[in-house]
Amino acid sequence: MSSQLFSHFGKKDQQLADLTAAAQAILALDRAFKRLLPGRLAEQCQVACVRGGELVVFAHNGTVAARLRLLGNSVVAPLARQGYPLTTLRVKVLPTPPRKPRQKSFSLSDAGIDAFARAADEVRNPVVKGALQKLLRHHKG
């Protein structure tokens, strides 16, 4: 759905328009919050809401939550200076679901398997020989 079509619906329904404005405000706060975070910490959390001056942030795991709690006032104060009505930071852990393993998209041709089998027979280094045999078992099975 295009944003023009969505904004058209928002003009017809005041509740939807209010909800859209609130969502845009949270997204703007999320961007401002993430600009204050060090390193890749911004990728591991998101602003959830503001309740009575309390900024609620979801962290993807406990380690991220601990780091955010340590930052506390060092991120709330700059946001308050930017005009956001914030006094405290609350961090909640909201684990992200594990990613599905990628499907195997590579396979060896019969000629490739034969070439690796000949190489495994001829190589003298036991570590390399073992690795080649493991590769062959994987691709034959």
Side-chain angles (χ1 to χ4, degrees), residues 48-93:
C49 64
V50 176
R51 282 191 223 142
E54 181 177 65
L55 175 62
V56 181
V57 177
F58 290 146
H60 292 185
N61 60 54
T63 304
V64 172
R67 288 190 65 198
L68 289 171
R69 287 182 186 113
L70 285 174
L71 291 172
N73 196 41
S74 67
V75 291
V76 171
L79 291 171
R81 284 192 299 273
Q82 292 176 31
Y84 294 102
L86 303 173
T87 55
T88 59
L89 174 68
R90 173 175 282 187
V91 181
K92 296 183 177 188
V93 177

Side-chain angles (χ1 to χ4, degrees), residues 6 13 17 33 36 38 62 65 67 74 78 81 83 87 95 98-99 103 105 112 115 126-127 129 140:
F6 187 73
D13 184 351
F33 173 73
L36 298 170
R67 288 190 65 198
S74 67
R81 284 192 299 273
T87 55
R99 294 182 186 200
Q103 295 294 325
S105 62
V127 175
K129 185 180 206 86
K140 285 182 181 179

